[in-house]
Amino acid sequence: MTVNKPKVVILGAGYAGLKTAVDLQKKLGINEAAITLVNKNSYHYESTWLHEAAAGTLHHDKMCVDIKSLLNSKVTFVQDTVTDIKKDEQKVILENGELEYDYLVVSLGFESETFGIKGLKEHAFSIANINACREIREHMEYMFSKYRTEQRDELLTIVVGGAGFTGIEFLGELGNRIPQLCEEYAVPREKVRLICVEAAPMVLPGFDSDLVEYAVAHLEKKGVEFKIGTAIKECTPEGIVVAKGEEVEEIKAATVVWAAGVRGSSLVEKAGFNAVRGRVMVTGDLRLPEDDKVFIIGDCAAIMNPENDRPYPPTAQIALQEAEVCAKNVAVLVRGKGEMTEFKFDNKGTVCSLGHDDAMGVVFGKKIYGWKASFMKKVIDNRSLFLLGGAGLVMKKGKFKVF
Amino acid sequence: MTVNKPKVVILGAGYAGLKTAVDLQKKLGINEAAITLVNKNSYHYESTWLHEAAAGTLHHDKMCVDIKSLLNSKVTFVQDTVTDIKKDEQKVILENGELEYDYLVVSLGFESETFGIKGLKEHAFSIANINACREIREHMEYMFSKYRTEQRDELLTIVVGGAGFTGIEFLGELGNRIPQLCEEYAVPREKVRLICVEAAPMVLPGFDSDLVEYAVAHLEKKGVEFKIGTAIKECTPEGIVVAKGEEVEEIKAATVVWAAGVRGSSLVEKAGFNAVRGRVMVTGDLRLPEDDKVFIIGDCAAIMNPENDRPYPPTAQIALQEAEVCAKNVAVLVRGKGEMTEFKFDNKGTVCSLGHDDAMGVVFGKKIYGWKASFMKKVIDNRSLFLLGGAGLVMKKGKFKVF
């Protein structure tokens, strides 16, 4: 071991951080750098599948991967929680220690953003991580079981705040899950209300209107009521208060799931980086403008889309592509030679699932619907696994039972 | 059809009522009597298995039997809830109608008895029926899921009130269930507290001390803490307050299950029968002393044990034996000939399960422990099914996967 080999520290083992670690351990020799990956949990989870864990349609074991199983001896894994980043001292503070770095990769992922709506933090769930999703799953089931003894209709009312990607995919899973719960608890399906509340005037911004219509029609057939252009004013222990223009309505609901806002990790702001809602406008090679030792990738990075002059939405696809470039650039810095690569997003498309058997979206510029889209969604999910853990991981955790 | 054939009405399709109906449809010709069986649910459930549904170790589908599937055309099944019995008018009031009878069999089963302990009705669960047990199962699981997001220790504390038969069998199942929940929610086993509180100075009254010691040792090994000679003074939304002599203690617990008291149906008292806690001291041929048209069997009947001059505890075994005698006697009255049979309890023994793989008890006067007892318990469970629905029902719902 060389004493003075550069120290590379990667924070977070989501798509971005884990892919960076996996790529670096392939690129760099054991004597070239000391690579450390820090993550709160011992496992990585497929965060794009969380809505399935929350609905209870896919068990979280199927979406969690033991991080160590994907690393070789070149990467040291530290299971700990990051509490601060001191960039002037080139050091990361953990709950149980601290780490020095020469190069830092910040890939700390997203948090739920409630925009200061009253009571939301206290009384609504959010599809934020494995623990939160397991609680949503159990909460809904508990409410069904309670209905059999208390007979209060609001126990069977589920409000989803937000008709964006996460909200719609979650509703799609609920469309499959609710009939199972109705059977288990002998509840008539018509007693269950699934309400989607969206403040914006449209469902799924960014998708073409025929794709949106397809999704809405599918979900309405599954019993979803849409309240569009309707803002949640308050969340209480009893439900929500919404307003559409002047009209204010109270909806009693035992389950409220907030799926309308994400932001980058608040640690990014705590560290003093120049960020808006936890997202930093990075340089072309994915670094912090004010500190060239620090890379920021994944949900904490903002990269402008030249086509519409807005930042790309944070997705797994862009995170994985950023990680590839980040790993290349870290290797250049570690070796002190080579050219830095500029990041350019190659949008292969987006598919929005509507339950396990339907979906819609755009792939390679082409619109697809129904079983073809559902099949493509699973191909995309399996591709993420492949990029992180190769064919072995796809075999273990992949989605194959397509039809 | 004869217009004036005697009307026999049976209330409740528990062990006692269902067995009476099944026996009568074998004994009587279609023109001899009009038999009606009334039950709230469309299904009969094995109430001696309820602790398994509550723990979540056996799915309730396995313990429910569609009542109509066990009846032939001689018995009319009415799914309705009994609200009153007017014995002077020989009629039963239902939620959705009324029924006249010539002979009535009251087999309305048990209710939970809280002895007026403050807050118990509001804040504790009881192992009372399928709906209640499903709610207990889901409640515990929800608390485990909540622990992962809230980290409050009391979420993992489960109090069982009562160290009688139901309490001990429930704890036995929890001993198997808790490790599963710990795995599902990544909770360390030592964080979970299982506390059994019993006001009496002993566990399992009626069992010999070596059997009791066996059970207690087994459950303590599974992590159960016993608080014997300790009374629950109050149940609050936060847990319970107990007292042992002068010493008062508050135990924070998210789950409190009351398993310490049962009584006969309160309808028996509403009907004006002479009863103590819903149990009527019946005549030797199982009738109401003040009305020879009315039979009372099962948990609403009290029959003295000549050996100790106390009433036999209400069990499935005695209910099934009472039903046999009751059916014989109803047939005698319907036909207006024959001798009435006096009931005599033939105690074949009792086995108390301690989870799916251990048990202890007395069978045909012999003490048994461990796997032998566990095996016998399943034989007894299957025998109940056999008495109600023959070999077909045993095949469908029986417990075979013994080891």
Side-chain angles (χ1 to χ4, degrees), chain A residues 164-178:
Chain A
F165 206 81
T166 306
I168 294 298
E169 287 203 320
F170 180 52
L171 286 163
E173 294 301 318
L174 288 181
N176 292 137
R177 179 63 178 150
I178 298 300

Side-chain angles (χ1 to χ4, degrees), chain A residues 222-265:
Chain A
K222 297 254 179 178
V224 177
E225 303 166 45
F226 283 94
K227 290 183 181 283
I228 302 305
T230 305
I232 296 184
K233 289 293 165 196
E234 190 184 343
C235 186
T236 70
E238 280 76 43
I240 54 167
V241 179
V242 297
K244 186 174 189 167
E246 299 290 288
E247 212 177 302
V248 174
E249 188 193 354
E250 199 192 327
I251 302 172
K252 287 200 171 188
T255 307
V256 178
V257 178
W258 179 245
V262 293
R263 45 164 290 143
S265 168

Side-chain angles (χ1 to χ4, degrees), chain B residues 13 56 80 84 91 139 144 165 184 188 190 196 205 213 216 228 256 260 336 341:
Chain B
D80 207 336
D84 207 358
K91 122 180 143 171
H139 175 82
F144 271 74
F165 207 80
E184 174 68 12
E190 60 274 17
C196 178
E213 275 163 32
V216 168
I228 304 302
V256 178
T341 303

Side-chain angles (χ1 to χ4, degrees), chain A residues 317-372:
Chain A
Q317 186 185 185
I318 199 167
L320 288 162
Q321 292 184 20
E322 288 164 12
E324 248 184 272
V325 171
C326 175
K328 273 187 203 163
N329 289 343
V330 169
V332 167
L333 294 176
V334 161
R335 289 174 177 149
K337 65 177 183 200
E339 285 279 311
M340 295 293 275
T341 303
E342 292 282 300
F343 177 76
K344 201 176 159 305
F345 180 42
D346 172 21
N347 190 348
K348 297 182 186 347
T350 312
V351 178
C352 177
S353 80
L354 303 165
H356 65 86
D357 49 1
D358 203 353
M360 61 81 189
V362 177
V363 178
F364 299 121
K366 226 185 121 195
K367 287 179 194 167
I368 52 172
Y369 304 86
W371 69 266
K372 279 187 201 168

Side-chain angles (χ1 to χ4, degrees), chain B residues 119 157 179 207 251 277 286 296-297 340 354:
Chain B
T157 300
F207 281 80
I251 301 172
R277 291 218 177 89
L286 302 175
I296 312 231
I297 57 175
M340 295 293 275
L354 303 166

Side-chain angles (χ1 to χ4, degrees), chain B residues 14-240:
Chain B
Y15 293 106
L18 187 54
K19 170 77 172 148
T20 303
V22 165
D23 276 17
L24 278 178
Q25 74 184 0
K26 279 186 212 146
K27 275 185 210 307
L28 293 176
I30 195 150
N31 289 320
E32 287 189 284
I35 308 167
T36 304
L37 174 64
V38 181
N39 197 61
K40 183 158 63 173
N41 306 306
S42 62
Y43 54 86
H44 157 87
Y45 55 85
E46 299 293 304
S47 56
T48 59
W49 304 5
L50 280 176
H51 61 284
E52 296 172 69
T57 45
L58 185 68
H59 193 270
H60 51 85
D61 279 352
K62 277 293 281 181
M63 56 186 77
C64 289
V65 186
D66 179 48
I67 292 168
K68 279 192 186 160
S69 73
L70 301 180
L71 302 178
N72 65 27
S73 59
K74 290 183 213 162
V75 180
T76 305
F77 175 63
V78 173
Q79 188 184 339
D80 207 336
T81 300
V82 180
T83 58
D84 207 358
I85 301 162
K86 307 267 187 209
K87 71 175 164 45
D88 298 335
E89 302 163 47
Q90 290 188 207
K91 122 180 143 171
V92 175
I93 315 297
L94 307 176
E95 241 168 47
N96 305 302
E98 48 182 71
L99 291 169
E100 292 183 350
Y101 65 80
D102 294 301
Y103 303 105
L104 182 68
V105 178
V106 177
S107 43
L108 287 162
F110 74 94
E111 289 173 9
S112 177
E113 168 64 273
T114 55
F115 305 112
I117 297 172
K118 198 177 156 190
L120 217 46
K121 241 190 191 117
E122 295 76 16
H123 307 300
F125 295 100
S126 74
I127 300 179
N129 53 49
I130 294 287
N131 290 335
C133 289
R134 211 157 32 181
E135 191 179 354
I136 296 171
R137 177 192 79 187
E138 289 308 315
H139 175 82
M140 289 191 299
E141 190 150 2
Y142 182 45
M143 294 303 113
F144 271 74
S145 77
K146 247 178 139 59
Y147 176 76
R148 296 300 311 171
T149 59
E150 297 183 13
Q151 309 279 330
R152 290 184 293 119
D153 285 356
E154 62 265 35
L155 292 170
L156 303 177
T157 300
I158 299 166
V159 169
V160 176
F165 207 80
T166 306
I168 293 299
E169 286 203 320
F170 180 52
L171 287 163
E173 294 301 318
L174 288 181
N176 291 136
R177 179 64 178 150
I178 297 299
Q180 296 171 347
L181 289 173
C182 286
E183 203 196 321
E184 174 68 12
Y185 298 96
V187 167
R189 174 62 186 86
E190 60 274 17
K191 281 276 173 197
V192 182
R193 284 185 76 188
L194 273 180
I195 305 171
C196 178
V197 180
E198 170 61 58
M202 72 186 70
V203 169
L204 282 173
F207 281 80
D208 275 2
S209 64
D210 43 352
L211 292 170
V212 171
E213 275 163 32
Y214 182 87
V216 168
H218 173 92
L219 293 175
E220 284 184 335
K221 221 176 65 195
K222 296 255 180 178
V224 177
E225 303 166 43
F226 283 94
K227 291 184 180 284
I228 304 302
T230 305
I232 296 184
K233 290 293 167 194
E234 190 184 341
C235 187
T236 71
E238 280 76 43
I240 54 167

